[in-house]
Amino acid sequence: MDVSLTRNFCIIAHVDHGKTTLSDRLLEHTNTVQQRVMTDQHLDSMDLEKERGITIKSHPVTMTYPAKDGRLYKLNLADTPGHVDFSYEVSRSLAACEGAVLLIDAAQGVEAQTVANAHLATAQNLKIIPVINKIDLPSANLELCMKQLEDILMIPAEEAILASGKAGIGIVDILEAVVKRIPPPRWSEHPHTRALVFDSLYDSYRGVITYARVFSGAIKAGDQIVLMSTNQKADVKEVGIFTPKMQKVDVLSAGDVGYVVSNIKDTSEIKTGDTLTLSRNPATVMLPGYKEVRPMVFCGLYPLESNDYEKLKAALGRLRLNDAAFLYQSESSVALGFGFRCGFLGLLHMEIIQERIRREHDVEIISTYPSVVYRVKQHGHEEIEVDNPVNLPDPGTIDYISEPTIKAAIHIPNEAMGDILSLVMEKRGTVEHTDTLDTTRVMLTCVMPLNEILVDFNDRLKSITHGYGSMDYELGAYQPSDLVKMDILINADPVDAFASIVHRDKAEGKGRALCEKLAEIIPPQMFKVAIQAAIGGKIIARDNVKEMRKDVTSKCYGGDISRKRKLLDKQKEGKKKMKQIGKVSIPPDAFIQVLKN
Amino acid sequence: MYVHVPFCASTCDFCAFYQTSPTADGVEGFLSGIEEEANLVEWPRPVTTVFWGGGTPGLLAPTDIIRLGAIIQRRLGSVSATPPSEFRSPQLLEWTVELAPASVTDARLAALKEIGVTRISMGVQSFQPALLDALGRQHTLDQVMRAYGRIRTAGFASVNLDLMFALPGQTEAEWNADIDAAVALAPDHLSAYCLTFEEDTKLWVKLSAGRVKLDVENEAQLYETTWARLAGAGYAQYEVSNFARPGHACRHNLATWHMHEWVGLGPSAASQQGGLRGANIADLVEWRARVARGARMTEDRVALTPALLLEDSLIFGLRMNAGVDLNALRHRYPDAPWSTVDALVQRLAEDGLALLETGRLRLSDRGRLLADAVGAEIMESMDEPVSA
């Protein structure tokens, strides 16, 4: 097929603005998927994705569309991950396209991720097709959306297409715009074969499957490919396209989006953003934009039952196969036994992995307090990275500790301004500037330490703004900060799982809150139990676990002994399910509850 | 010896004991069954205490009481079978029969006296008519007072009244009034039970349905009030729920808490004898059938190992105010994991849950309120392998 008849595009939107439903309509209209096999949200196949309305893995699809100009076009739609945690993955998916359909919910208007995604698309030189979606909603405000398009996104309002994915309105207009407005595949004339890796998948039968967009040249079975970032070579066993099921083809040519099955064994060897070339006549210059993704958030994951360690290990291994951005290595905790230190792109990524371990692999886990990666400089030493509070060196030896920051764009209703400013202040953030979005909303651009938004920032933003606020962020620079390690002691024993690195000014408040929370969560105990927060041996907060008041069977005679023993045995077994820290029994979900605030 | 008389006229809302309605055939079968079962038992030594529980042993007709009494007497270590001597066995220390107030008649009391019963235990539960009703009890306050008078007149050596507190809807003032009413009758012994929600009871159903609420703090306070007030009235607490004037503690129950041996006869009755613990099946017909085949103690049967006996000596012994003699137990069960037990004892003492004096361990009042939690801890510590 003539490369000029190919269009590569993606759909970008804020969460819940209707991206997946619209994708489904496009698939139906082009007969890519028969209506009868369509389930709602066809492209989001993982249960979790459906539940959360977000896309975690890429689901590219190739469609053919007979346009009004009489020609048959090949349209490659890249369904992109829709969350800030995966912004690098988003950028690589975008880089595999020449154009983007930007969806705006007619009732919600432009939101934080709309802006962030539009900026990402512009940065990749993509042609943007603005689509105002859900126009059939009674609360649709087209006028406002048009104005926001011009004022906030600098896109002429007359370019906007009015649509409703649900009602099937505007679908043809969108397909026509894709054909007419988006340019044909770029860089197709490059003398060497180059393909961009934008995702990969592990298949238990076929091994690692690489998702790639071919820019120039061609790849077919039997070729030897080279991964340019590492110079690793691999033999191609099969190539194909997504319809959206994988369908084998003879060759992937310039402009095509498809998959490559090779003899690579481990997904960690395939890096998103890498360039594939052929070992004969290889390219010398990679496609632009590759970078190493590194986990930003770490936590310890431990099996609730210590004999589930191997099961957890296997689960992590399986998840890692499909998610090269997720890292883990074994560690041990005094409180929790043997487990794993795990690294994630962000909080959502962390939650998703934890949820998948529980659901898909059926292992109950305990998670420790999440931590960002700190840079610690000790006297006379190089800077080291610390992602676990337990590994923080002796404070006396430290020159400085610096922490990662983020640059956040926070969209909020005007009336929430005061509360959000306090929240940002509380989180040690600074507001760099405020922009008026429309008569009712403003956008704050803030710099905040990443560790401050780890646990509850988004929840509180949502709660203050009654769900109307939204946030997007990108990583910023490291900044030195007065950080200390706060220990939590239960009956004077430090519990490593609860240790955290906090700003000195916030240690006391946070320590008190943590002690209070633990005192509330730990069920009444027979023995007196003190919970303390300490910095370097100095107690800064304390609380007491409630004492058990009454636990005695009233009637207990000879005939009751057997039954009584069974009850006590049950009681004892129940206690065994708890984590014993010293003589204190802590229910496993205490660890999660404490973190939830 | 314990005899379970499984007949009740109706089922109380809180009761989980095995019971069935009395029929002529049922009673006949029961009495002959007891006789057969007693023949199956090996009696290595004279019986020292007898306890007839239920059910409602008082539902038996006077003639049946005499008949059952005769079966029992044959096991008391005396060959003499001629009435009317007070004690047919010099070894017999106590013979208790449980009676419900509605079943107390002069004829029955006379029959009980005749066979040698020394102690009557009457299930009053409450002196508040509304609460009696709420518990599904079949007696009135008037019946209670008349029954008590008759029992006293008949002249038994010891009389106990059972009371219950923390009943749904019961105020603290009402409970105090119950204590006062009981003390005013001057029984020799009082059992005061905190209402327990047992599975397979109507109360449990109500609790599960949310119609009755548990209030642990209230229960704890009522326990404390009860203990203090009964002590003030001259009834010394000797176990979680049992109080007695000097010399009137129930010897039968003390023996079981000390992990001595006892023989239980009748459906659902538990025994601990000859290195075994077990219970009969809780079904009158099936119990008879099994006894006819020579089978008893067919349920929950376990071998009494030294470790188990030590564990139970601690768990059940600590429910008694006198506690347990650790030195004696250490001597009797030298191979138990004493290091973990000692560590637990240490912790209990440090936290004011127990007192350790000259080798005797007893729970403090606070500890006694947590006797189950202590029991679970004991079990856990006994789970530990013996340290090398």
Side-chain angles (χ1 to χ4, degrees), chain A residues 85 293-299 325 327 342-347 349 370-375 386-387 403-406 450-451 454 473 475-476 478:
Chain A
D85 281 2
V293 215
R294 304 180 59 202
M296 295 306 302
V297 178
F298 286 80
C299 76
L327 295 183
C342 301
F344 310 92
L345 295 172
L347 274 186
H349 191 210
S371 169
V372 299
V373 182
Y374 297 95
R375 292 186 183 152
V386 173
D387 62 48
E403 61 178 338
T405 61
I406 56 154
L450 177 61
N451 91 348
L454 281 190
Y473 67 80
L475 292 168
Y478 270 74

Side-chain angles (χ1 to χ4, degrees), chain A residues 265-567:
Chain A
K265 293 279 188 302
D266 186 343
T267 29
S268 63
E269 293 167 32
I270 296 284
K271 298 193 172 73
T272 296
D274 204 348
T275 301
L276 298 183
T277 188
L278 297 181
S279 64
R280 79 184 133 75
N281 195 16
T284 51
V285 182
M286 286 176 74
L287 290 160
Y290 171 75
K291 67 175 186 192
E292 286 266 357
V293 215
R294 304 180 59 202
M296 295 306 302
V297 178
F298 286 80
C299 76
L301 294 184
Y302 290 82
L304 174 56
E305 312 263 0
S306 53
N307 46 8
D308 273 350
Y309 175 85
E310 286 301 325
K311 209 171 156 192
L312 175 59
K313 189 177 176 184
L316 296 178
R318 298 286 305 173
L319 289 167
R320 164 100 176 105
L321 283 175
N322 266 326
D323 186 349
F326 162 59
L327 295 183
Y328 69 94
Q329 65 179 69
S330 57
E331 72 167 7
S332 65
S333 150
V334 181
L336 304 175
F338 290 99
F340 300 90
R341 193 76 191 160
C342 301
F344 310 92
L345 295 172
L347 274 186
L348 179 77
H349 191 210
M350 178 170 87
E351 272 182 51
I352 288 169
I353 296 273
Q354 292 187 9
E355 195 63 26
R356 292 186 65 184
I357 293 169
R358 293 195 182 98
R359 275 198 215 180
E360 297 167 24
H361 299 272
D362 198 27
V363 186
E364 273 307 312
I365 46 172
I366 294 172
S367 154
T368 65
Y369 213 91
S371 169
V372 299
V373 182
Y374 297 95
R375 292 186 183 152
V376 182
K377 172 79 175 69
Q378 286 173 277
H379 314 313
H381 289 88
E382 292 289 298
E383 252 187 15
I384 54 162
E385 294 196 334
V386 173
D387 62 48
N388 185 346
V390 173
N391 299 334
L392 197 67
D394 175 6
T397 68
I398 295 175
D399 279 338
Y400 63 83
I401 306 177
S402 55
E403 61 178 338
T405 61
I406 56 154
K407 189 170 182 176
I410 305 173
H411 289 218
I412 50 166
N414 291 341
E415 63 270 20
M417 183 77 160
D419 289 340
I420 296 296
L421 284 178
S422 316
L423 177 63
V424 170
M425 292 271 291
E426 183 198 321
K427 299 293 187 186
R428 297 189 285 126
T430 49
V431 176
E432 297 204 317
H433 49 94
T434 54
D435 296 284
T436 305
L437 292 175
D438 53 56
T439 55
T440 61
R441 295 189 311 156
V442 287
M443 178 174 88
L444 307 179
T445 307
C446 315
V447 172
M448 284 188 286
L450 177 61
N451 91 348
E452 293 288 345
I453 65 158
L454 281 190
V455 178
D456 65 344
F457 188 86
N458 207 36
D459 289 348
R460 289 181 59 190
L461 168 67
K462 290 287 178 199
S463 124
I464 290 170
T465 61
H466 305 288
Y468 289 106
S470 58
M471 176 179 75
D472 199 59
Y473 67 80
E474 58 188 63
L475 292 168
Y478 270 74
Q479 66 179 25
S481 191
D482 189 7
L483 296 162
V484 290
K485 178 182 160 199
M486 183 170 76
D487 288 310
I488 295 292
L489 291 74
I490 294 187
N491 267 353
D493 295 328
V495 181
D496 53 5
F498 289 135
S500 58
I501 292 174
V502 293
H503 192 267
R504 194 183 297 276
D505 294 347
K506 306 189 74 182
E508 199 182 320
K510 212 173 156 189
R512 202 177 308 120
L514 215 62
C515 290
E516 230 171 73
K517 182 94 185 177
L518 272 167
E520 181 192 313
I521 292 168
I522 298 176
Q525 306 273 319
M526 274 175 74
F527 304 101
K528 287 194 185 72
V529 177
I531 297 173
Q532 297 165 307
I535 293 174
K538 185 178 167 249
I539 305 299
I540 55 167
R542 76 162 281 158
D543 214 315
N544 290 310
V545 177
K546 279 197 247 11
E547 281 179 47
M548 211 186 267
R549 191 70 170 90
K550 191 220 94 169
D551 182 13
V552 58
T553 303
S554 200
K555 243 181 203 172
C556 194
Y557 298 111
D560 304 315
I561 289 175
S562 295
R563 194 158 46 118
K564 180 79 225 152
R565 283 190 58 90
K566 280 181 201 163
L567 284 175

Side-chain angles (χ1 to χ4, degrees), chain B residues 104-116:
Chain B
V104 175
T105 61
D106 290 336
R108 281 200 180 100
L109 291 173
L112 292 170
K113 280 296 282 185
E114 188 187 325
I115 60 171

Side-chain angles (χ1 to χ4, degrees), chain B residues 241-273:
Chain B
S241 305
N242 287 289
F243 309 81
R245 290 163 139 179
H248 286 276
C250 177
R251 292 164 188 270
H252 177 84
N253 288 333
L254 284 171
T256 60
W257 296 324
H258 279 118
M259 291 299 127
H260 293 170
E261 294 198 317
W262 71 92
V263 170
L265 303 177
S268 86
S271 301
Q272 175 158 296
Q273 197 207 1

Side-chain angles (χ1 to χ4, degrees), chain A residues 525-528 547-573 575-576 580 583 585, chain B residues 193-194 198 217 219-220 223-224 241-242 253 257 259 262 277 300 308 311-312 315-316 319 347 351 353 366 369-374 377 379-380 383:
Chain A
Q525 306 273 319
M526 274 175 74
F527 304 101
K528 287 194 185 72
E547 281 179 47
M548 211 186 267
R549 191 70 170 90
K550 191 220 94 169
D551 182 13
V552 58
T553 303
S554 200
K555 243 181 203 172
C556 194
Y557 298 111
D560 304 315
I561 289 175
S562 295
R563 194 158 46 118
K564 180 79 225 152
R565 283 190 58 90
K566 280 181 201 163
L567 284 175
L568 290 180
D569 210 41
K570 224 189 237 175
Q571 206 163 325
K572 181 188 81 186
E573 290 306 315
K575 231 181 106 188
K576 272 190 189 160
Q580 294 297 321
K583 58 185 182 182
S585 323
Chain B
Y193 300 110
C194 180
E198 313 233 31
E217 181 55 39
E219 289 178 358
Y223 263 112
E224 286 167 349
S241 305
N242 287 289
N253 288 333
W257 296 324
M259 291 299 127
W262 71 92
R277 177 187 295 161
D300 294 325
L308 182 71
E311 194 170 295
D312 290 344
I315 293 173
F316 299 95
R319 292 175 55 89
R347 271 165 60 197
D351 282 279
L353 293 165
R366 195 167 80 80
L369 274 178
L370 300 177
D372 285 9
V374 171
E377 290 274 335
M379 270 198 174
E380 205 183 322
D383 262 3

Side-chain angles (χ1 to χ4, degrees), chain A residues 554-555, chain B residues 12-15 17 54-56 98-101 121-141 144 160-167 170 174-175 177-179 181-182 185 190-195:
Chain A
S554 200
K555 243 181 203 172
Chain B
C12 300
D13 285 4
F14 55 87
C15 181
F17 286 102
T56 330
E98 287 182 346
L99 294 178
S121 174
M122 183 163 74
V124 174
Q125 318 312 355
S126 176
F127 290 95
Q128 315 291 324
L131 292 170
L132 285 175
D133 210 39
L135 288 171
R137 294 289 289 187
Q138 299 287 306
H139 60 255
T140 63
L141 182 57
V144 170
N160 166 59
L161 300 181
D162 280 354
L163 296 175
M164 290 180 98
F165 63 89
L167 305 175
Q170 183 190 42
E174 282 174 317
W175 171 235
D178 271 356
I179 295 177
L185 292 176
L190 280 166
S191 296
Y193 300 110
C194 180
L195 179 65

Side-chain angles (χ1 to χ4, degrees), chain A residues 194-212:
Chain A
R194 290 196 301 183
L196 175 73
V197 175
F198 62 89
D199 206 346
S200 60
L201 178 83
Y202 182 82
D203 181 288
S204 33
Y205 300 106
R206 295 194 284 180
V208 177
I209 299 172
T210 306
Y211 290 20

Side-chain angles (χ1 to χ4, degrees), chain A residues 171-189:
Chain A
I171 304 303
V172 173
D173 295 341
I174 293 169
L175 289 167
E176 284 297 314
V178 166
V179 168
K180 288 202 190 102
R181 297 190 204 171
I182 295 175
R186 49 188 157 163
W187 308 325
S188 58
E189 301 304 317

